[in-house]
Amino acid sequence: MLNRAKPASQLLLQIASASLHSPLQPAIITANTSRSGSRVTSHRHSTSSSSLSPQGPRPARMAPPKSATEFLDFVNASPTPYHAVASAAALFEAAGFKSIRERDNWAASVKPGGKYYLTRNASSIVAFAVGAKWKPGNPVGMIGAHTDSPCLRIKPASKKSANGFMQVGVETYGGGIWHSWFDRDLSVAGRVLVKDGAGNFAQKLVKVERPILRIPTLAIHLHREPNFNPNKEDEMLPIAGLVAAELNRDSRAPEAEPKDGAEPDAEPDFQPLKDMSERHHPYLLEVIAEHAGVQPSEVVDFELVLYDTHKACLGGLNDEFIFSARLDNLNMTYCSIMGLIASVNSTSLDADSSIRLIACFDHEEIGSLSAHGADSNLLPAILRRLSVLPPGSSASSDGSYEHVEGGDSELATAYEQTLSTSFLVSADMAHSVHPNYSRKYEANHQPEMNKGTVIKVNANQRYATNSPGIVLVQEAARRAGVPLQLFVVKNDSPCGGTIGPMLSAKLGVRTLDLGNAQLSMHSIRETGGSHDVENSIRLFESFLSNYGELESKIIVD
């Protein structure tokens, strides 16, 4: 069982009472206490008279693990990678992890026995705990996930209108099931760059809770074709309102009065780009500015995406399902975060000679080739700095490894030695067998929800799994008492990709791909197993806690 000082749901709820405009702060985090929300009320399984029906008492249901309802809080608070990273940072802060920055010198701040996290672009986050017996060249047990999901992103110039409707120009991000975005209650979230009176620029997180956009389908009477395949440029424009209503609005702020001493007809400051109010509908800009806590004139730029305002919830007759957006891959992001936190709570760092690390990257859905994606220098740079971290005072008693010690010439090989002894678990969601399309799955590899985390294998290295990795993860699962499953795609079917192969090739680190089983991957509304969250957290806790010991027992080269 997990040993946490406070439930994750409480930690996320605390964010709402903190400063609204902290650079890493989600604008609004809510938790619904009804079944359609994120937490289960204490009376839901009661057999009191209120639960009786004319046919007799309702059958009792098995409550899902607490971690499943806490995950709902996390995903509901995280409509964008920026919000996911802010939510993760709040969880790490509450667990005693210290915030550090890449631009700083770590020599004085990062020590054996310590717990740390850092962000890049506010959309990728890396956290690690250093064993007290760490020495240069020792191994690192790692879990990698990603924070992004397919979505629609507002274009830099989004102002459109047609036939009396105000429309918003959007760009597709990733490989979404785009027809699932039609007829949904959509809103916007992301980050806004604002300029203050001193000329400084700051990031504000924005999440507009109410539905303000919608992509309507064409009536069946006007579209008799059997397949619905909308043109992504012309037929996926959300409507935001009516042009007439916008023209008649009288709530727009009056023009700013000239400042004292300024001539009324003075030339305005030169603007290299068109003003934001010219590129976007002014009322949309006002809504964004309101949620950022600034005036519309202070909004310099933004990166906003559309999201479904319908909150994630438990589903199924026995709450065995999670109905949610962004399961791919916030489910694995959350499990890796909580696995690391649980590992340092349940297994002391005092006797550990390794480093426990999780990395959650942005931009996996579009290939990871960015400054903050998995195909960047983010993880290699961090591992290089950690590999030469000086040993702690208790490291002298550890004789498990042939350590690199001494001057610069010896430390020069510490990075390569660390990589050769380290291991990466690439955690990305997997496909559950679909009861209506079982022919799409290989007969002996049909993963089921709530039956354990799925190890993904591909002979063509679309996944990086091999036998030594399976043995290692299987031993971690045995110690945690959680089941595992295997998945291989059919020979006549395409196979998806993950960050596993690219990081394995970039680092030369042994790697295994796995993930929780789900349906409707890349839809705006996906389905996962409520018990799989707990299984994965326990698996990751066991892997990170025991890797320093297990590594030396599974050696091929």
Side-chain angles (χ1 to χ4, degrees):
M1 297 297 294
L2 303 183
N3 178 18
R4 293 194 290 272
K6 294 182 179 179
S9 58
Q10 292 184 16
L11 302 178
L12 288 172
L13 287 170
Q14 289 175 358
I15 300 176
S17 62
S19 171
L20 178 63
H21 307 306
S22 171
L24 282 176
Q25 189 67 37
I28 301 177
I29 292 181
T30 61
N32 194 330
T33 56
S34 70
R35 186 171 187 269
S36 63
S38 60
R39 288 204 299 274
V40 184
T41 55
S42 60
H43 60 76
R44 62 181 304 166
H45 303 303
S46 171
T47 56
S48 65
S49 58
S50 63
S51 67
L52 297 178
S53 67
Q55 293 76 29
R58 290 196 299 260
R61 292 175 295 185
M62 180 181 296
K66 189 177 181 181
S67 56
T69 56
E70 291 177 344
F71 165 70
L72 298 181
D73 290 323
F74 179 83
V75 71
N76 284 329
S78 307
T80 74
Y82 310 111
H83 291 80
V85 166
S87 297
L91 291 171
F92 284 127
E93 286 282 350
F97 284 67
K98 178 183 177 183
S99 175
I100 59 176
R101 302 189 303 172
E102 283 190 277
R103 65 177 61 194
D104 296 336
N105 187 337
W106 292 0
S109 57
V110 178
K111 303 290 185 182
K115 302 176 294 185
Y116 310 91
Y117 76 91
L118 60 94
T119 67
R120 183 184 280 192
N121 188 53
S123 61
S124 296
I125 186 166
V126 179
F128 53 89
V130 186
K133 293 188 176 181
W134 165 266
K135 286 186 178 181
N138 274 20
V140 181
M142 299 175 282
I143 301 172
H146 66 89
T147 60
D148 62 322
S149 304
C151 63
L152 297 174
R153 173 170 160 164
I154 295 181
K155 290 182 175 180
S158 70
K159 189 175 183 179
K160 290 179 178 291
S161 62
N163 302 102
F165 287 94
M166 289 192 300
Q167 297 174 297
V168 176
V170 293
E171 184 178 10
T172 57
Y173 175 90
I177 302 178
W178 300 120
H179 65 74
S180 67
W181 285 72
F182 283 70
D183 296 329
R184 305 294 300 191
D185 298 340
L186 304 175
S187 194
V188 297
R191 68 174 173 186
V192 179
L193 273 295
V194 302
K195 184 178 182 179
D196 61 21
N200 299 316
F201 298 90
Q203 169 184 291
K204 307 284 187 181
L205 292 189
V206 165
K207 181 187 177 191
V208 180
E209 295 278 357
R210 65 185 179 93
I212 60 175
L213 300 169
R214 195 174 181 88
I215 308 174
T217 51
L218 185 62
I220 192 171
H221 314 80
L222 305 175
H223 186 273
R224 295 293 187 180
E225 288 79 5
N227 295 323
F228 180 50
N229 185 26
N231 181 282
K232 293 190 285 292
E233 178 63 28
D234 301 323
E235 298 174 345
M236 284 192 65
L237 290 172
I239 58 173
L242 296 173
V243 172
E246 170 71 1
L247 292 176
N248 293 331
R249 251 184 355 103
D250 59 0
S251 60
R252 195 167 291 153
E255 293 185 10
E257 295 291 333
K259 296 180 179 180
D260 294 341
E263 295 293 332
D265 58 349
E267 288 292 328
D269 292 337
F270 171 70
Q271 298 291 336
L273 289 173
K274 286 184 178 180
D275 189 76
M276 291 288 285
S277 61
E278 295 183 59
R279 291 190 275 144
H280 306 282
H281 288 294
Y283 189 36
L284 175 63
L285 199 61
E286 288 179 26
V287 171
I288 294 167
E290 176 189 355
H291 283 77
V294 299
Q295 296 298 316
S297 59
E298 297 175 293
V299 175
V300 181
D301 199 27
F302 56 66
E303 295 173 71
L304 298 178
V305 303
L306 276 57
Y307 79 98
D308 188 357
T309 58
H310 186 189
K311 293 185 180 298
C313 63
L314 299 176
L317 294 175
N318 295 291
D319 286 346
E320 59 263 66
F321 299 135
I322 293 175
F323 300 151
S324 173
R326 303 178 297 281
L327 288 180
D328 177 22
N329 192 42
L330 290 189
N331 190 285
M332 289 287 91
T333 292
Y334 179 78
C335 291
S336 63
I337 292 167
M338 299 312 298
L340 176 58
I341 292 173
S343 78
V344 297
N345 286 339
S346 63
T347 307
S348 173
L349 294 171
D350 293 344
D352 197 348
S353 58
S354 69
I355 291 177
R356 313 170 192 182
L357 180 147
I358 67 107
C360 302
F361 302 95
D362 195 2
H363 289 163
E364 188 275 343
E365 297 293 355
I366 56 173
S368 297
L369 188 59
S370 69
H372 30 281
D375 204 15
S376 70
N377 76 331
L378 176 56
L379 187 56
I382 290 173
L383 291 177
R384 187 178 295 277
R385 297 172 77 168
L386 292 179
S387 67
V388 296
L389 184 68
S393 58
S394 62
S396 58
S397 61
D398 177 26
S400 303
Y401 297 91
E402 185 178 340
H403 302 289
V404 178
E405 299 183 32
D408 293 341
S409 60
E410 289 82 3
L411 289 176
T413 65
Y415 178 59
E416 288 74 18
Q417 184 174 343
T418 288
L419 295 181
S420 68
T421 56
S422 298
F423 194 92
L424 170 69
V425 171
S426 169
D428 204 346
M429 294 296 280
H431 298 293
S432 166
V433 63
H434 195 305
N436 299 335
Y437 299 91
S438 58
R439 65 188 181 277
K440 294 287 187 180
Y441 302 80
E442 207 281 328
N444 293 327
H445 301 87
Q446 299 188 351
E448 300 178 48
M449 292 183 195
N450 296 324
K451 293 293 184 68
T453 307
V454 181
I455 296 177
K456 301 187 285 187
V457 183
N458 183 260
N460 298 299
Q461 288 298 290
R462 296 291 291 173
Y463 306 131
T465 303
N466 61 12
S467 292
I470 292 176
V471 172
L472 172 65
V473 172
Q474 184 174 229
E475 180 60 21
R478 186 189 65 79
R479 297 189 180 194
V482 295
L484 295 172
Q485 304 181 81
L486 291 167
F487 174 76
V488 173
V489 74
K490 291 180 67 176
N491 288 325
D492 57 358
S493 177
C495 182
T498 71
I499 63 174
M502 72 176 64
L503 282 173
S504 180
K506 181 187 290 286
L507 297 170
V509 168
R510 296 167 293 174
T511 303
L512 178 138
D513 274 285
L514 54 68
N516 284 339
Q518 72 162 97
L519 292 170
S520 305
M521 186 177 289
H522 288 196
S523 171
I524 196 172
R525 196 77 176 174
E526 301 170 322
T527 300
S530 58
H531 293 268
D532 284 330
V533 177
E534 180 74 9
N535 284 336
S536 283
I537 292 175
R538 290 170 59 188
L539 174 64
F540 293 163
E541 174 188 2
S542 178
F543 165 72
L544 293 169
S545 298
N546 296 301
Y547 180 68
E549 173 198 347
L550 293 175
E551 190 281 328
S552 61
K553 297 181 178 181
I554 306 172
I555 298 177
V556 176
D557 300 314

